[in-house]
Amino acid sequence: MTVDASSLASLANQAKEWRRTIHQYPELLFDLPKTSALVTEKLTEFGCDEVVAGIAKTGVIAVINGSNGPGRTIALRCDMDALPMAEQTNLPYASKVENMMHACGHDGHTAMLLATAKQLAETRDFVGKAVLIFQPAEEGGAGARVMIEEGVLDRFGIEEVYGMHNQPGLAVGSFAIRSGAMMAGGDRFVITINGKGGHAAYPHLARDPVLAGAQMIVALQAIASRFTNPFDPVVLSATFMEGGNAGALNVIPAAIRIGGTIRTMNAETRKMVEERFREVATSNARALGCEAVIDWRPGYPVTVNDPEKTKVAAQAASAVAGADRVNTDWPATMGSEDFSYMLEKRPGAMIWLGNGDSADLHNPAYDFNDDAIVHGVRYWLSLVDQRLNGTAGE
Ligand code: NI
């Protein structure tokens, strides 16, 4: 499948327009009526074989059959949601919605996958089937998990899944990937420590939850430093404390709360950390005559790239960028990503696309780099070509 330079440039130009439209009307979580309608309308206009909207509320699936006969089915996935923050870019196409902003580049991801759909539906020069997944609620809503729960992987016969996310600091036209764990699993916790309130001058008559909380925060750090292999990273951050009253400094409160987040890079370690956490928090509170009530809030799993599919993705990227612009040993990060749910169910790989020297993700000055669009679209087309026309993988 070859695309000539001028039609690729015009496709990238159209995608830029779509990207800027989406950018001006950011929407959150599962509530993406405008974005979802735009995506559905375009996919229908392109003549995709199937366009199914309304999965996970506003998710959209497009199926495009190759014209070269039956074969395997692969999914290309993008996310569509924005973030609840105020944009500070002063761009002419900046967000028109107060306190909502595309600060993670999902506008760009959506536009690139739309352009890919257009090209694939037009040429169909491949064997098998491409399923394009436009997903809501990546930012904290686990939209990928909800789409799986609503049956997309089985319903559309998806055998492999591929994702792409832009990466500030990586040169435009470059790609980066790693085999195995590439993003962390993230869980959150809130602990209520119940003691017995009393006069601070007579602490023996009370059971002090403040002292218990202070000791607990320190003790919990030992999970990272004393129970996990130093080569298996764990981050445990207490980020929230609440209790007592600054207007009553001679009063020991009856209860306090502490909370925070935990990041791990390995499913077994994640399980071990949770067990240890419950043990350490419960026994620490008990030692001070208090009781710990733990509200454990599971977050996204570890994002794990399948080794074979990582090679497929790297080969597809190398075909468009040149091998010297594809870093296959990019460091893992402590961020989380809900594409991890799809990678738990099907083999696949997530790749980073260079966003150049931009502000960081989730920064109010961030903007997706339109110059990256052409590279992202070429990657998707190359992946379909390499994987479905049998030139990558087995
Ligand atoms: Ni993102």
Side-chain angles (χ1 to χ4, degrees):
M1 187 183 342
T2 49
V3 193
D4 69 82
S6 74
S7 49
L8 194 63
S10 108
L11 188 62
N13 240 332
Q14 284 176 289
K16 182 174 98 175
E17 294 310 313
W18 303 332
R19 204 282 287 184
R20 293 182 174 196
T21 301
I22 297 168
H23 189 89
Q24 288 177 66
Y25 302 100
E27 299 174 303
L28 303 183
L29 290 166
F30 293 97
D31 192 21
L32 316 175
K34 281 199 176 75
T35 312
S36 179
L38 181 145
V39 165
T40 307
E41 183 199 310
K42 294 287 171 204
L43 293 171
T44 308
E45 180 192 313
F46 301 155
C48 297
D49 296 295
E50 263 183 273
V51 179
V52 184
I55 300 180
K57 287 191 185 141
T58 47
V60 187
I61 299 277
V63 178
I64 304 166
N65 295 310
S67 58
N68 303 338
R72 61 167 69 90
T73 299
I74 66 170
L76 320 183
R77 168 272 194 185
C78 77
D79 40 18
M80 303 188 286
D81 56 322
L83 284 154
M85 54 191 280
E87 178 162 350
Q88 293 169 18
T89 61
N90 294 318
L91 290 163
Y93 54 87
S95 170
K96 292 192 191 307
V97 188
E98 208 178 325
N99 288 322
M100 292 190 199
M101 171 188 183
H102 269 290
C104 201
H106 300 183
D107 49 348
H109 302 165
T110 305
M112 290 189 294
L113 198 56
L114 278 177
T116 304
K118 183 167 194 275
Q119 184 65 24
L120 290 178
E122 222 164 271
T123 58
R124 295 172 182 272
D125 184 16
F126 57 92
V127 175
K129 194 181 282 194
V131 178
L132 279 50
I133 302 177
F134 295 82
Q135 182 213 299
E138 194 287 319
E139 300 288 359
R145 191 188 67 207
V146 179
M147 289 193 98
I148 294 167
E149 286 165 359
E150 294 190 14
V152 294
L153 296 178
D154 294 331
R155 177 175 171 187
F156 298 99
I158 292 165
E159 295 166 88
E160 300 170 12
V161 291
Y162 295 89
M164 173 163 54
H165 202 292
N166 75 95
Q167 178 70 256
L170 181 67
V172 170
S174 294
F175 294 84
I177 196 165
R178 79 176 290 109
S179 181
M182 54 108 61
M183 293 186 85
D187 299 311
R188 290 165 300 154
F189 63 87
V190 175
I191 308 171
T192 304
I193 304 171
N194 293 313
K196 184 181 164 204
H199 198 302
Y202 310 101
H204 57 293
L205 301 178
R207 291 292 176 260
D208 185 357
V210 178
L211 183 60
Q215 291 193 0
M216 193 183 294
I217 289 171
V218 177
L220 288 170
Q221 290 302 321
I223 297 170
S225 71
R226 287 300 175 269
F227 288 96
T228 55
N229 184 324
F231 292 97
D232 181 12
V234 172
V235 174
L236 192 156
S237 295
T239 55
F240 161 73
M241 292 181 82
E242 182 185 71
N245 183 343
L249 293 175
N250 57 357
V251 175
I252 292 172
I256 69 157
R257 294 198 302 156
I258 63 180
T261 182
I262 296 172
R263 302 290 164 119
T264 48
M265 295 302 291
N266 169 319
E268 275 165 38
T269 306
R270 185 183 181 208
K271 197 160 160 267
M272 180 281 288
V273 167
E274 182 186 344
E275 285 166 10
R276 269 285 121 197
F277 182 94
R278 291 181 183 280
E279 175 72 29
V280 170
T282 305
S283 58
N284 256 263
R286 196 176 293 140
L288 274 287
C290 299
E291 175 212 21
V293 179
I294 299 166
D295 174 11
W296 185 264
R297 303 174 183 179
Y300 296 164
V302 184
T303 302
V304 183
N305 277 346
D306 175 83
E308 286 306 309
K309 303 304 174 270
T310 303
K311 282 185 202 157
V312 169
Q315 190 176 323
S318 297
V320 297
D324 57 332
R325 304 237 278 174
V326 182
N327 183 338
T328 54
D329 191 25
W330 187 256
T333 81
M334 281 291 164
S336 296
E337 160 66 55
D338 81 346
F339 186 57
S340 52
Y341 289 108
M342 295 191 177
L343 288 171
E344 281 186 336
K345 301 286 185 195
R346 295 289 187 274
M350 166 114 171
I351 198 165
W352 297 111
L353 167 73
N355 201 52
D357 187 22
S358 73
D360 278 335
L361 302 173
H362 296 209
N363 183 300
Y366 169 86
D367 188 34
F368 181 85
N369 192 333
D370 286 324
D371 293 340
I373 288 175
V374 69
H375 303 285
V377 174
R378 286 184 76 206
Y379 167 74
W380 282 136
L381 296 173
S382 170
L383 181 72
V384 169
D385 187 37
Q386 302 258 334
R387 192 59 184 140
L388 293 183
N389 285 332
T391 47
E394 82 274 18

